[in-house]
Amino acid sequence: MMDRNEPAEKAASADVAAARRAFYDRIDRLGMTPLWEVLGALVPVQPKSPVAPVLWCYDRIREHVMEAGRLITAAQAERRVLVLENPALRGQSCITQSLYAGLQLILPGEVAPAHRHTQSALRLVLDGVGAYTAVDGERTTMRFGDFIITPSWTFHDHGNDGSGPVVWLDGLDIPLVRFLDAGFAEKSAAKSQAVTRPEGDSLARYGNNLLPLDHEQTPAQPSKVFVYPFARTRESLLGISKSAIDAHHGFKLRFVNPATGHSPMPTMGTFAQRLPAGFSTRPYRSSDSSVHVCLEGGGRATIGRPGEETVFEFGERDIFVVPSWHALSLAARQDTIVFSFSDRPVQQVLGLWREERLD
Ligand code: GTQ
C-alpha cells in the first residue's frame, strides 16, 4: 500500500524527481499521465467533497427574484429562474455535484410554456398563491410547502391565474444527467398543454392507499402522484410526534412512490422532518450531499466536524446545503419543519450510499 500522505516525488532525490518530470512531459504528449501522482485524490479514504456548506436567506434574495420579473417575462425566459450556485462550483449551475436548484418566479397572467426533458424536476412552493403546474395533462394548484414532481420526459408548463407573484424552489438532476450525457429536451407545440384529467385525479387514483386494478410499476419508474400536499405531510409529521423521537433525525419521513415504496423519482430522494421546539439532533452524516429548506420555524444548523464547523441560523424559506460526509446537527428554536432532497436513491441503487450516526 503506498503512503498517500507523502507524494511520491517528495521522497525521491532531485535527480529522480527531474527524470520523472521529464517522463511526465513526454507521456503527456501521448495523452497519458501517471496514476501515482493522483491516486489519493482519485480513490479517497472517505469523500472529500468540493461542495461548500452554504445558506440562502429567502428574505435577502426575494427582492432580486422579484427584480428578475421586471427585466424579463416568463415567455421570453422560457423559465424565469435564478440559479442557486454552490460558491465552490460557480459557473456550473450546481448546488451540489449532482443536483441543480433555482428559484422560479411566475407573475399573474404568465405562462411558462410546455416542454419536456430527460432531467427530472421537483418543485417546493415557497411564496405566493394562485399558480399551477400542469404535468401530463393534469393541473396542480401550488400551495405553500407543496412538493410537486415533474418526472423525466413528462410535459410540464406552469401558470399563474392569481393576483400576485409566486415563487418556488426547483430541484433538478441537471448535473447528473449532464455527467451522463443523457440530456434530451423538446418544446411542445402548445403553450399550455391540454388538460385531460381533472385536478386531483392522480392523487385520488394513486395517492390514497389505493391503486388502479392493473397498475404495476418497477422501482425506477416515477410516481403517478404529482403533488405531495404540505397539509398531508404536516399531518403525518405531527401524527408521529407522540411516539419516540429519533436522536439523529427528530421525526423524519421519506416521500415515496406509493405504488413501489421507492423514491418518487429515481434520481432524487426527498424527505420531511419535524423538530420540536428546543430539540437538537445528534450529529449525523451520509454520503449524499443534501439541500435543506425550512418550511416552518427555524433554528441552527451545525455542519462539519467540531473545530471546523459551519453554523447557519435559518428561518422559514431559507435554503442550506450539507456536503457529502459532513456531520449535520440541527437545533430547533421553534417547532420546525424541514424539507430536504439529495441523490440518495442513485447512490443506494448503485450500492454506494453510506451513513453514520455520530456521538
Ligand atoms: O420548470 O421546466 O429551474 O426546465 C430549470 C429547467 C426549471 C422547468 C428549472 C427547467 C425548469
Side-chain angles (χ1 to χ4, degrees):
M1 194 72 187
M2 69 176 282
D3 181 351
R4 289 180 183 174
N5 293 327
E6 190 158 5
E9 192 143 316
K10 203 167 141 197
S13 71
D15 280 358
V16 172
R20 285 179 185 168
R21 269 197 305 275
F23 171 65
Y24 298 167
D25 285 346
R26 272 180 281 126
I27 64 170
D28 180 66
R29 278 170 242 137
L30 300 168
M32 296 192 288
T33 189
L35 171 64
W36 54 90
E37 293 292 338
V38 292
L39 183 57
L42 289 185
V43 188
V45 171
Q46 56 181 43
K48 281 193 198 129
S49 181
V51 171
V54 54
L55 168 76
W56 285 272
C57 290
Y58 187 74
D59 287 345
R60 267 188 242 143
I61 56 180
R62 185 181 189 276
E63 61 178 295
H64 302 287
V65 175
M66 296 303 160
E67 190 176 350
R70 297 189 288 274
L71 293 171
I72 191 165
T73 67
Q76 287 167 337
E78 188 164 343
R79 296 294 185 265
R80 189 202 289 113
V81 178
L82 297 188
V83 180
L84 301 179
E85 285 200 326
N86 192 282
L89 306 170
R90 291 310 304 266
Q92 300 176 49
S93 304
C94 292
I95 191 160
T96 68
Q97 294 264 73
S98 59
L99 297 174
Y100 156 107
L103 289 169
Q104 181 159 175
L105 168 69
I106 190 145
L107 295 172
E110 285 189 326
V111 169
H115 71 190
R116 63 177 174 177
H117 37 71
T118 50
Q119 293 82 1
S120 301
L122 66 83
R123 332 274 169 197
L124 188 72
V125 185
L126 293 182
D127 197 359
V129 292
Y132 66 84
T133 282
V135 181
D136 250 357
E138 182 177 333
R139 282 189 182 182
T140 294
T141 302
M142 301 177 98
R143 298 182 181 88
F144 177 78
D146 286 355
F147 157 48
I148 295 164
I149 66 166
T150 56
S152 179
W153 211 240
T154 51
F155 275 112
H156 52 283
D157 52 84
H158 318 296
N160 185 343
D161 294 334
S163 54
V166 175
V167 178
W168 62 83
L169 180 79
D170 283 324
L172 287 91
D173 54 10
I174 285 173
L176 180 67
V177 174
R178 181 171 57 197
F179 177 76
L180 298 170
D181 277 338
F184 295 87
E186 67 182 24
K187 294 180 188 191
S188 170
K191 189 171 150 207
S192 297
Q193 58 185 297
V195 172
T196 57
R197 283 172 285 131
E199 173 155 12
D201 189 85
S202 296
L203 201 54
R205 248 178 240 280
Y206 302 96
N208 207 16
N209 292 328
L210 297 160
L211 289 173
L213 287 182
D214 56 356
H215 185 70
E216 295 278 356
Q217 285 192 296
T218 62
Q221 284 180 307
S223 173
K224 294 280 193 183
V225 174
F226 293 126
V227 59
Y228 296 76
F230 187 46
R232 288 195 185 187
T233 303
R234 250 186 129 259
E235 191 180 295
S236 284
L237 291 174
L238 292 169
I240 60 173
S241 293
K242 289 174 203 87
S243 312
I245 191 163
D246 184 297
H248 292 84
H249 297 301
F251 299 105
K252 187 167 183 176
L253 298 170
R254 65 186 174 94
F255 290 93
V256 297
N257 174 350
T260 64
H262 287 85
S263 57
M265 297 181 289
T267 52
M268 289 185 281
T270 41
F271 310 87
Q273 94 194 89
R274 174 176 173 267
L275 305 169
F279 185 79
S280 292
T281 63
R282 307 305 309 155
Y284 168 88
R285 62 182 176 176
S286 57
S287 55
D288 50 325
S289 298
S290 51
V291 181
H292 297 246
V293 189
C294 177
L295 289 175
E296 269 183 32
R300 172 180 296 178
T302 304
I303 301 166
R305 69 163 73 108
E308 50 191 57
E309 71 268 37
T310 301
V311 177
F312 295 137
E313 298 290 338
F314 63 87
E316 276 165 24
R317 302 178 162 106
D318 293 349
I319 300 155
F320 59 92
V321 170
V322 180
S324 166
W325 216 236
H326 282 50
L328 168 66
S329 170
L330 293 171
R333 208 167 38 238
Q334 308 151 255
D335 260 39
T336 294
I337 295 180
V338 176
F339 173 92
S340 57
F341 67 100
S342 76
D343 61 16
R344 184 176 303 186
V346 178
Q347 296 198 24
Q348 286 177 325
V349 84
L350 298 177
L352 296 171
W353 187 69
R354 291 199 193 189
E355 64 175 340
E356 189 173 24
R357 289 167 179 259
L358 301 161
D359 265 16

